[in-house]
Amino acid sequence: MSLLTASNVTASYGASQALFGVDLTIGEGEVRALLGRNGMGKSTTVKCICRMLASGGTLTFNGTDLTRLPSHRAARLGLGLVPEGRRCFGNLTVHENLIAAARPGDWTFERVVEMFPRLGERRNQNASSLSGGEQQMLAIGRALMTNPRLLILDEATEGLAPIIRQEIWSVIRKLKAETGLSILVIDKSIRELREVCDSATILERGKSVWAGTISELTDDITTTYIGV
């Protein structure tokens, strides 16, 4: 059964149309990659799903029509976003960032700190004092604290040191293996995506142009739609 279904989704920024027909499905417990070159509509699609941008077409989450909802109500349905650029609350402490949007469920402060021990060590530091990698851990932990049904990771490893990137990928693998959480991953690291994802959708010029299992994502396809 599909948890999220997007069908023929369109969206615009003022007079400039950005999405021309995005189709995307994510099942319960599925990890799907959303791929495409820069500027092809990946982050815009995320904004539509999370209701930060008005859209046409069909968007349903667990049977509920998302297009009629404001972003805060969509989030309460179980959408957990790790946004591009992290966007932590710099003037709040690590602990305050994590509990700001916390909702009841299995993910607690203690469980997040178990996954990211450095956040426990920096519990009382302001987020603005953390390194980029630590802020990314905080952004992921904050999303998990909402106890989502779908976790959306928008460029979660972008700009990080290689050792931190591998730590983030390790966390994603652990989430898949241990939680059964549905995950949508936007990233450029095809090798790591092949290891963790079940399926993929590729966007080009604001439209879905390919979808299939990760084993069907051949080098020829990635060269055609993702290669420089």
Side-chain angles (χ1 to χ4, degrees):
M1 178 181 175
S2 294
L3 179 63
L4 174 77
T5 301
S7 179
N8 196 33
V9 173
T10 59
S12 300
Y13 295 99
S16 179
Q17 189 167 349
L19 300 184
F20 295 85
V22 171
D23 300 311
L24 175 70
T25 60
I26 303 174
E28 292 277 6
E30 181 181 5
V31 180
R32 178 172 285 267
L34 184 60
L35 305 172
R37 296 183 179 95
N38 290 340
M40 293 300 170
K42 302 184 299 297
S43 290
T44 299
T45 299
V46 168
K47 289 179 182 178
C48 292
I49 293 170
C50 295
R51 306 317 301 152
M52 295 184 289
L53 183 66
S55 62
T58 301
L59 268 172
T60 59
F61 182 74
N62 195 32
T64 299
D65 181 4
L66 289 177
T67 60
R68 300 178 180 275
L69 299 181
S71 57
H72 69 278
R73 288 188 57 195
R76 287 175 186 166
L77 291 177
L79 293 169
L81 174 62
V82 181
E84 185 177 16
R86 299 180 279 274
R87 301 184 189 178
C88 300
F89 301 111
N91 61 335
L92 298 183
T93 67
V94 166
H95 182 255
E96 289 167 341
N97 265 273
L98 289 173
I99 66 172
R103 302 188 71 221
D106 292 337
W107 285 100
T108 62
F109 176 78
E110 290 74 21
R111 189 176 180 190
V112 168
V113 166
E114 183 179 345
M115 179 164 284
F116 296 113
R118 267 176 284 187
L119 296 183
E121 296 168 7
R122 289 154 176 73
R123 169 185 180 133
N124 296 317
Q125 287 183 224
N126 281 3
S128 59
S129 71
L130 303 180
S131 68
E134 290 165 346
Q135 287 187 21
Q136 189 62 72
M137 295 174 192
L138 180 57
I140 295 172
R142 181 180 59 189
L144 290 173
M145 287 280 286
T146 69
N147 278 282
R149 294 188 64 179
L150 173 63
L151 180 67
I152 302 174
L153 299 162
D154 192 355
E155 301 284 8
T157 68
E158 182 77 13
L160 301 180
I163 190 170
I164 302 298
R165 287 167 56 88
Q166 290 309 310
E167 189 169 346
I168 298 299
W169 283 114
S170 177
V171 166
I172 297 172
R173 286 190 291 270
K174 188 173 183 180
L175 288 173
K176 178 181 180 179
E178 298 181 5
T179 69
L181 185 64
S182 299
I183 305 175
L184 178 64
V185 187
I186 299 174
D187 206 278
K188 298 180 179 67
S189 303
I190 300 298
R191 181 172 63 84
E192 284 84 1
L193 288 169
R194 289 187 192 280
E195 294 175 358
V196 74
C197 292
D198 303 303
S199 55
T201 295
I202 300 177
L203 303 186
E204 185 171 44
R205 297 180 182 178
K207 193 169 185 176
S208 300
V209 293
W210 185 90
T213 66
I214 204 68
S215 62
E216 295 170 330
L217 184 64
T218 64
D219 291 341
D220 286 345
I221 293 171
T222 58
T223 299
T224 299
Y225 293 115
I226 304 169
V228 177

